[in-house]
Amino acid sequence: MGCGSCSTGGCTPGGCKSNGSCLTDGGCSKLDVYDWLSDMDLPSNYKPFHYVEIRFKGARKDFYRNDENIYLEAGELVAVETTTGGYDIGHVTLTGELVRMQMNRKRVTEEKAPLKIYRKATVQDVEKWKSAKERESDSMYKARTIALELGLAMKLSDVEYQGDKTKATFYYTAEGRVDFRELIKKLAESFRVRIEMRQIGMRQEASRLGGIGSCGRELCCSTWLTDFKTVSTSAARYQNLSLNTLKLAGQCGKLKCCLNYELDTYMDALKTIPDHADRLKTNKGEARLQKTDIFKQLMWFSYAGEENTWIPLEVNRVKEIQEMNKKGEKPEDLKDYSAIPDELEVVEKSFDYENVVGQDSLTRLDDKSKNKRPNNNNRNKNRNRPNGNTNPVANKSETAAVNKPLVVAPKTNEAGESIVPKPNPNRNRNKKRKNNQNRKPEQE
């Protein structure tokens, strides 16, 4: 979890008893429950509740009986009974009366939780459990390769080994039913353990894998959210959100669970908004609803042909105009009922600093470039003038001398005789063709 050679003594988290390698699968605070009864004094004749909540890899939690009354604290590793034989290793998350409350909330009776706790995990149990966790990544890669060779329409997302390394559970996602009998045979031959396949949904897959959401925090499903409620696009409509699937969908590909968090607040605020207020009739014309601010209790309307001019109205005013329209009456103009006056008082902002350099101007770069252009042209003109002479008469004489035609000496052979170039016969022929093309046709 970090280097131990730096001057700070390492980068391991402070307070972690295992120095950052406690194997709690995702961090020390994942799916934790605060025990608010830990500081309370219990009665002398109180008998502790004989059930304990144990957490395993991912978000899987179960309740186990503590028949031997082993003293357990949150975070300890214990060996528990399994339904298929052998034992598994998990972390203690809750003890005492909070376990009773959790069982009542999840409607779990003692008959539905018959499994028990064997013992606290020994050193040998922890070493075997660690070696089993190290095999998970290689097993996942091999299993995916075998599934591709068989051509199965499924996606293996995670694998979990039992604490005693006698069983491996593969979690997969698929759109329909998959016949994986041949896959189980090949996996059992390669890994030499019992194989179990479990189909999960997209949300469960995201909760097991984890990640960072668009808000910049860890996914809710992988930290504290355990029950997944259905999310519909109506939740986005009630909150005036744009129906953009790229923004509304999470890492699981479904609609974000956080769309339901504030939905009840929006539904309460929508109770005061009038229904069927899409159009209001006035003497000026028919006004149509453009926008509704639920919490400010404002509604914006605009006339036909004036879509860029929005008139804000309070909810009570809209209800009054609706009643007038039902009676056959029409107001003159919605601007008479506007919630915001046309002339607003402009409040000058006072800054705590002075703009000395002028860096607040958005056009400061454009102004500089405009000022530099004429100076650059003058500099280039001066550079072309020899010795910095700015006299225009002298420059004219110099340019005339420069523009004089150059006299080229005739070519001579070895005997000293001048060579006369031979005329090009094709030259005159091309001229005659051009002249013939330019002539006008003679009228007969």
Side-chain angles (χ1 to χ4, degrees), residues 36 47 122 157 214 251 279 367 369 376 422:
W36 49 274
K47 292 183 179 180
T122 60
S157 58
S214 59
Q251 292 191 4
R279 298 180 181 182
D367 296 336
S369 60
N376 292 334
K422 295 180 181 180

Side-chain angles (χ1 to χ4, degrees), residues 4 9 26 45 65 70 73 164 201 233 236 268 341 377 400 439:
N45 57 352
R65 285 198 327 270
I70 304 172
E73 292 183 356
D164 56 355
T233 54
D268 293 338
N377 295 332
R439 287 179 183 176

